[in-house]
Amino acid sequence: MSQLPEIIRTIDRVSADVVAKASAYQAAILADVAGRRGTMHGRVAPVHQSMKVAGPAFTVEVRPGDNLMIHAAIGLAQPGDVLVIDGKGDLTAALMGTLMLSACKKRGLAGVIVDAAIRDKLEILELDFPVFSAGFNPAGPTKYVPGRINHPISAGGAVVNPGDLVVGDADGVVVIEREKAPGMLALADKKVADEAARIEAIARGDTASKWLPAALRAAGLLKEGESL
């Protein structure tokens, strides 16, 4: 059996049309319609709460504290891609800073998601480019250790395959499988409409959750016929 190369240059991406439509939804809406799965750990957060990103995942796996493969990925990724980096959640050294992120912006990438530390926070805020990370550390990385590009990874505890749809905002990051992404959009439309209707009802004074009594009975907290 032949082994896959460590660097895979050609991948199937979620379509630009799906990305454009998905970018209009909150990550929370997409997470709900995807079955409340595919979300990254809360440690992976935007550098600024206003940052949003949507695009196909261009995956990178590195050894903790080494960014050799990220440099290679920046040169290989296409405009609109989102670099998603499995840095093992390590916070002992920054994997990226202003220089690398400026290169990502110049190359037209949609954003960067790093399950590890980065640095140059104030300069990144001025860069006007979506960056999500697990934290910050002023220490620089090494550039010696081989890794992998465009293999399946785990970032923030979520499985990410090359080309999957990734959407991030102030709440965090959700990953949806490339093949399932188109089918999520109609469900997201309905979810948004349902929530808008519920907000209108609350504004009219209808604050009761219709499902709550049955759920409390099922949990053994209310007897049959009993109410709050």
Side-chain angles (χ1 to χ4, degrees):
M1 180 182 296
S2 61
Q3 187 174 10
L4 286 174
E6 302 292 4
I7 298 176
I8 298 175
R9 292 170 172 80
T10 303
I11 62 172
D12 293 323
R13 292 168 168 83
V14 64
S15 73
D17 181 57
V18 169
V19 170
K21 292 177 180 176
S23 66
Y25 301 112
Q26 295 179 353
I29 293 292
L30 292 171
D32 279 357
V33 300
R36 293 173 171 80
R37 59 172 61 90
T39 57
M40 293 190 184
H41 189 282
R43 67 174 178 261
V44 182
V47 174
H48 189 275
Q49 64 182 13
S50 66
M51 292 179 174
K52 297 183 66 176
V53 68
F58 196 91
T59 62
V60 189
E61 182 184 359
V62 302
R63 288 286 298 276
D66 193 282
N67 72 358
L68 175 66
M69 300 308 289
I70 303 175
H71 283 276
I74 293 172
L76 292 172
Q78 296 182 6
D81 286 346
V82 179
L83 283 192
V84 183
I85 300 160
D86 174 13
K88 318 302 181 189
D90 179 67
L91 300 180
T92 63
L95 291 181
M96 302 182 77
T98 306
L99 297 178
M100 295 175 72
L101 292 166
S102 294
C104 289
K105 180 179 180 180
K106 184 66 175 178
R107 288 185 55 81
L109 273 61
V112 173
I113 297 169
V114 188
D115 187 9
I118 59 174
R119 63 181 182 180
D120 304 330
K121 181 176 182 178
L122 295 181
E123 293 176 347
I124 293 170
L125 290 172
E126 295 176 356
L127 188 60
D128 189 28
F129 179 71
V131 183
F132 292 64
S133 79
F136 300 87
N137 194 307
T142 59
K143 307 179 192 315
Y144 307 125
V145 185
R148 299 198 299 180
I149 293 175
N150 284 327
H151 287 249
I153 62 171
S154 173
V159 175
V160 190
N161 289 287
D164 281 351
L165 172 66
V166 290
V167 176
D169 58 22
D171 287 330
V173 179
V174 61
V175 183
I176 298 177
E177 296 99 317
R178 176 176 59 85
E179 297 86 352
K180 294 182 179 180
M184 294 297 108
L185 299 181
L187 296 176
D189 273 339
K190 183 178 185 304
K191 177 74 172 175
V192 169
D194 289 346
E195 292 198 354
R198 181 62 187 137
I199 289 173
E200 289 180 2
I202 291 171
R204 294 193 301 267
D206 180 9
T207 59
S209 299
K210 304 296 189 295
W211 53 267
L212 183 58
L216 291 173
R217 291 189 190 97
L221 298 172
L222 287 180
K223 296 178 181 177
E224 195 65 37
E226 187 178 10
S227 61
L228 285 175

